[in-house]
Amino acid sequence: EAGVVQSPRYKIIEKKQPVAFWCNPISGHNTLYWYLQNLGQGPELLIRYENEEAVDDSQLPKDRFSAERLKGVDSTLKIQPAELGDSAVYLCASSSNTGELFFGEGSRLTVL
Amino acid sequence: GENVEQHPSTLSVQEGDSAVIKCTYSDSASNYFPWYKQELGKRPQLIIDIRSNVGEKKDQRIAVTLNKTAKHFSLHITETQPEDSAVYFCAASYSNQFYFGTGTSLTVIP
């Protein structure tokens, strides 16, 4: 069974440019998460989806960040415009009905 | 909301010794407690978990204990090996919400 798939793995952009990350969760997992992870720190939730509904986006900086999960499967996280402080790893995760959480490999963003 | 504290932030042990990482949580609604291992540049990987109806769980050299009354849980690694070197994160969860600790960087010295 394939795990959580993310792309791209690495992205380097200049500040003020847009960037988008894509995530395909484990098949059958209804709950999808986007986390931000800074170096040496734990994952911090940006947004959580139950199927196609965003049920927790309180930590998402909505002035520049947006996310969508059309059809309740794949998800896209967008940043526009990117700032220097957005440099981090963006982790996608999905959870099963038993509550176990599985992470993708992450998308490492560098903003110059 | 839930608050998870994790200690120590760094831990060095000699190969073959045991390592213990401790976490506390604040919300009694939390009922699922997973532990993740993250190697440099890799994804966090689930290594063991425990649910609130169990006090202890063991998987080979790894064990987790849970004290619901005190709201703390611990990861125990016995007979440590160099490949155990990584960052370990605890988490507390309820209703598909996960709250992570700040991580423990474990170094196993050969």
Side-chain angles (χ1 to χ4, degrees):
Chain A
E1 177 183 293
V4 178
V5 179
Q6 290 187 246
S7 68
R9 288 292 315 280
Y10 305 92
K11 189 74 176 179
I12 300 174
I13 61 172
E14 294 189 345
K15 62 180 181 182
K16 300 185 181 179
Q17 293 301 304
V19 63
F21 305 114
W22 174 82
C23 173
N24 180 246
I26 294 173
S27 178
H29 284 195
N30 296 326
T31 310
L32 182 146
Y33 309 74
W34 283 102
Y35 286 94
L36 180 150
Q37 187 176 32
N38 287 304
L39 189 63
Q41 298 183 23
E44 300 172 26
L45 181 70
L46 290 172
I47 190 167
R48 173 169 63 100
Y49 283 93
E50 296 288 349
N51 299 301
E52 64 273 12
E53 182 182 359
V55 296
D56 185 354
D57 63 356
S58 57
Q59 302 302 312
L60 189 72
K62 298 181 184 66
D63 57 336
R64 298 184 300 106
F65 286 65
S66 64
E68 60 182 12
R69 191 185 184 195
L70 300 177
K71 301 181 182 179
V73 181
D74 295 359
S75 178
T76 303
L77 177 69
K78 298 178 181 178
I79 308 174
Q80 182 171 13
E83 297 180 352
L84 294 176
D86 296 333
S87 296
V89 176
Y90 292 83
L91 290 166
C92 180
S94 66
S95 66
S96 65
N97 290 337
T98 56
E100 296 166 334
L101 186 70
F102 298 92
F103 287 93
E105 291 286 3
S107 294
R108 181 177 297 275
L109 173 65
T110 301
V111 182
L112 304 176
Chain B
E2 176 65 278
N3 180 46
V4 178
E5 295 189 357
Q6 183 172 348
H7 299 280
S9 57
T10 60
L11 179 61
S12 291
V13 299
Q14 291 288 336
E15 182 177 359
D17 287 351
S18 296
V20 180
I21 303 170
K22 299 181 179 181
C23 289
T24 61
Y25 62 99
S26 60
D27 196 332
S28 57
S30 291
N31 55 17
Y32 175 60
F33 306 90
W35 285 88
Y36 290 84
K37 174 183 180 182
Q38 188 174 29
E39 297 178 49
L40 193 62
K42 301 283 185 68
R43 74 179 81 192
Q45 289 209 308
L46 178 67
I47 56 171
I48 195 167
D49 56 13
I50 192 167
R51 299 186 186 274
S52 58
N53 59 345
V54 176
E56 183 174 357
K57 183 177 179 180
K58 188 174 182 180
D59 182 3
Q60 299 183 344
R61 297 186 295 109
I62 296 174
V64 58
T65 58
L66 171 64
N67 183 326
K68 286 191 296 182
T69 303
K71 294 193 182 68
H72 66 71
F73 55 112
S74 300
L75 177 71
H76 304 253
I77 306 175
T78 59
E79 301 172 24
T80 53
Q81 301 168 4
E83 51 264 40
D84 294 330
S85 296
V87 178
Y88 291 81
F89 293 98
C90 65
S93 175
Y94 64 91
S95 300
N96 285 339
Q97 301 172 79
F98 289 81
Y99 301 87
F100 288 87
T102 49
T104 296
S105 178
L106 173 65
T107 301
V108 179
I109 303 167

